[in-house]
Amino acid sequence: MDIFEGIKTRRSIRKFTDKPVQDETIDKIIDAGIWAPSGLNNQPWKFGVIKENGLKREIAALTRYSKIVLGADTLIAVFLDHSRSYDRIKDAMAVGACIQNMLLTIHSLGLGAVWLGEILKNKEKVLELVCSSDDVELMAIIAVGHPEQKGGAGNRKDMDHAVLFRK
Ligand SMILES: Cc1cc2nc3c(=O)[nH]c(=O)nc-3n(C[C@H](O)[C@H](O)[C@H](O)COP(=O)(O)O)c2cc1C
């Protein structure tokens, strides 16, 4: 898939089939994430892979998007690694680039995903559930699966709304 076509046809997918996603596929998605750019190449990300239904249920209780969490085959929790962090804004941007790499890779593999941010209101509780480290901070959960729904056309404002100036 051409990169520009991939960027334009990627949509958030919120309904998934029961078909499992292979571990090698999850590894490929994470590999795409770690090849994102980062300030000073500090690579300030960590990932957690969640497949257990019991854990998914506990996480689902912490978000209004519980159906998405329960319906996804795999959740990839993306963390900011404080031990590698040097500048909060730049590190958060690097994690965002990492997540977009992962979303585009997921799309190119014919899978579907949605970036879940609302759950960050309970990021400490999620962390308690999934790992004991206090040196990481939850930045997003990516719900991944085989798409049950088609992506749709998407909706964006015209470029004229986005371009502040051309000099
Ligand atoms: C930082 C961030 C947080 C988001 N949080 C959620 C979320 O909690 N739940 C959800 O369903 N979608 C979430 N989304 C997905 C957006 O709703 C979606 O990207 C946007 O509506 C554009 O649609 P598209 O991805 O299909 O192009 C989030 C996206 C971003 C970038």
Side-chain angles (χ1 to χ4, degrees):
M1 187 187 283
D2 168 75
I3 287 182
F4 192 61
E5 184 199 343
I7 288 168
K8 293 205 71 164
T9 58
R10 180 214 55 82
R11 294 278 76 77
S12 295
I13 298 296
R14 298 179 174 86
K15 287 189 177 164
F16 307 97
T17 69
D18 291 338
K19 192 173 168 189
V21 179
Q22 301 304 313
D23 291 345
E24 306 79 59
T25 305
I26 296 298
D27 286 353
K28 190 167 186 176
I29 294 164
I30 292 173
D31 194 31
I34 67 178
W35 278 95
S38 58
L40 304 176
N41 196 20
N42 71 335
Q43 304 167 54
W45 38 66
K46 287 276 185 191
F47 308 91
V49 179
I50 298 155
K51 284 187 166 268
E52 293 169 19
N53 286 330
L55 190 49
K56 279 187 212 161
R57 276 194 290 275
E58 290 184 284
I59 293 171
L62 298 172
T63 170
R64 60 184 289 209
Y65 296 103
S66 54
K67 277 190 187 158
I68 299 174
V69 168
L70 294 172
D73 175 82
T74 305
L75 305 175
I76 303 177
V78 185
F79 300 95
L80 175 64
D81 180 355
H82 288 149
S83 73
R84 302 195 67 90
S85 184
Y86 82 110
D87 179 296
R88 188 165 173 81
I89 290 180
K90 292 176 193 175
D91 293 331
M93 292 170 84
V95 172
C98 159
I99 294 171
Q100 177 71 342
N101 269 12
M102 295 166 86
L103 293 178
L104 289 172
T105 300
I106 290 164
H107 176 50
S108 76
L109 294 170
L111 296 167
V114 60
W115 173 333
L116 297 176
E118 186 265 352
I119 196 165
L120 295 185
K121 68 184 181 190
N122 282 319
K123 62 184 176 183
E124 288 87 5
K125 288 182 183 165
V126 175
L127 189 60
E128 274 171 34
L129 285 175
V130 297
C131 92
S132 54
S133 171
D134 57 3
D135 216 14
V136 295
E137 176 182 350
L138 184 69
M139 301 296 277
I141 287 183
I142 307 174
V144 188
H146 288 269
E148 189 179 281
Q149 54 175 189
K150 286 241 173 203
N155 175 32
R156 295 294 187 274
K157 290 176 185 158
D158 292 345
M159 206 188 301
D160 287 349
H161 283 91
V163 177
L164 187 56
F165 55 77
R166 297 178 195 264
K167 294 186 183 182

